[in-house]
Amino acid sequence: MTPLSSPLTPLHASSLTPHNRLASIASDAAFIRSAALSIQRPLVANERCGAWYVGDGAQASSAYFKSTDGHERAWKFSARRPPRRPLNHNPNLSLLPIFVSDLAALCLDLGEYKLSKPLRPLWIGPDSPLPGPGPIFEDYTPVICCSASRVEAEGERTAGYVQGAADDAENWALGLTPSIFWRNVDALLAASDAHLPSLIATLITESRTTTSKASKQPRQLTPSLSVTALPLPPPTPETCQIALTATPTPPQTWIQSRNRMDVGLGRHKKASRNLRLALPDVCGFVARFVAAGGGRVMVGCESGRDVCVGAALALLCRVVDEGGCLRVMDEGRPLTKAVVKARLAAIMAAFPEANPSRQTLQSVNSFLLDWRA
């Protein structure tokens, strides 16, 4: 027997157009705004898809977690995304000592994040009555988990509405990001599906120019180590500059001067893979600079958030300590995954917007932990 819902399935699938998704996101975002206004608490967006429902400048902070976090065998902390914000609730209290141990191993400075009361999750959605700004919760601090999309019954669907419209944006958004969407929301919602691809392409190109200009400010990871987007600022004698460029170049051309190295890695995954091969040269170059009395080290890449962060992690583990002094490697105490993880967590705490890819971190770990490195 054919299920009653079968005839609706093609109709539902045809509604999953980019325009319908963007319109649904805008509709759901209106609820998020009203909830935030009513509850009067800081708004934190999950960077995976929740950021689509929060306009530019509206969120106080961000979190990063997957739908499987907190599920069976998915209970570990990520050093790439340190748990400095509210954690998922898990009813298995026996896991709490493990969580505490894992968090302590990251050696993060959590002074400003100490809680006077335990956290307790509360859930609301578009069909929930919105609580007011009070009362004061005496026994716990509430973490209000807000679901943006409304649930519609099979026979009551609103034409064009897509529940969870922001999910899997890489499959439908054509490169559009939440920030570009909200900066151009009126133009995007006014465009037809036929015109959206060209409009999105234009907006992305314009955004790259704007972002490139805005992201040049170096980010300090330690007092002596920083990362930035290319191009690097004018050199100074006391700073060692490493430029990880998007055009592959042979190693014999990399050294430009005693304090400047231009390493051509390529782009994206290719750059991440080539980083593994370049790190011995990069670390050796910086080590010689520091040993000769040099001071600061600056590493740049195209985005300022990916391979340069990976290279900085390698330098922090192999070459310089947090104070900028030359690190003396103790052969009797080799680097461990725990040490690398803790130093990555420190970098992410200093630069939360950093986004080293999985491939970048794999290359760095291979270099740091492989005995042949």
Side-chain angles (χ1 to χ4, degrees), residues 39-118:
I39 299 170
Q40 296 182 17
R41 291 183 180 271
L43 187 57
V44 178
N46 179 13
E47 292 179 22
R48 285 186 67 85
C49 69
W52 284 93
Y53 300 100
V54 181
D56 267 7
Q59 64 187 57
S61 187
S62 64
Y64 189 95
F65 52 88
K66 300 179 293 184
S67 59
T68 55
D69 287 351
H71 290 197
E72 188 73 25
R73 293 184 296 277
W75 294 323
K76 291 185 178 180
F77 289 150
S78 169
R80 182 170 172 264
R81 297 290 179 184
R84 301 180 67 189
R85 285 115 185 181
L87 301 173
N88 290 356
H89 171 70
N90 191 291
N92 192 345
L93 296 180
S94 66
L95 294 172
L96 288 179
I98 299 175
F99 292 165
V100 173
S101 176
D102 287 349
L103 182 59
L106 296 180
C107 301
L108 294 172
D109 180 8
L110 298 176
E112 62 180 299
Y113 296 97
K114 288 182 179 178
L115 298 171
S116 58
K117 295 181 287 188

Side-chain angles (χ1 to χ4, degrees), residues 224 290-291 294-295 315-316 318-328:
S224 63
V290 175
L315 292 171
L316 193 56
R318 271 289 178 94
V319 181
V320 293
D321 61 20
E322 288 74 7
C325 298
L326 193 64
R327 190 180 291 280
V328 178

Side-chain angles (χ1 to χ4, degrees), residues 9-31:
T9 302
L11 180 62
H12 177 60
S14 68
S15 71
L16 301 178
T17 64
H19 182 274
N20 283 349
R21 285 183 178 273
L22 295 177
S24 300
I25 289 170
S27 174
D28 291 341
F31 162 68

Side-chain angles (χ1 to χ4, degrees), residues 140-220:
Y140 59 88
T141 298
V143 178
I144 301 172
C145 304
C146 186
S147 176
S149 293
R150 61 183 184 269
V151 179
E152 296 188 326
E154 188 69 44
E156 301 175 358
R157 285 185 176 146
T158 303
Y161 179 74
V162 181
Q163 181 184 349
D167 289 353
D168 302 319
E170 64 275 10
N171 295 329
W172 62 265
L174 306 175
L176 189 68
T177 64
S179 59
I180 298 176
F181 169 60
W182 285 109
R183 287 199 301 269
N184 303 277
V185 60
D186 292 336
L188 286 163
L189 294 182
S192 65
D193 273 308
H195 292 112
L196 267 178
S198 60
L199 175 59
I200 289 174
T202 299
L203 294 176
I204 290 173
T205 300
E206 293 174 353
S207 176
R208 283 174 180 160
T209 303
T210 304
T211 302
S212 177
K213 292 178 180 177
S215 61
K216 291 297 187 296
Q217 192 67 25
R219 294 300 298 263
Q220 206 77 25

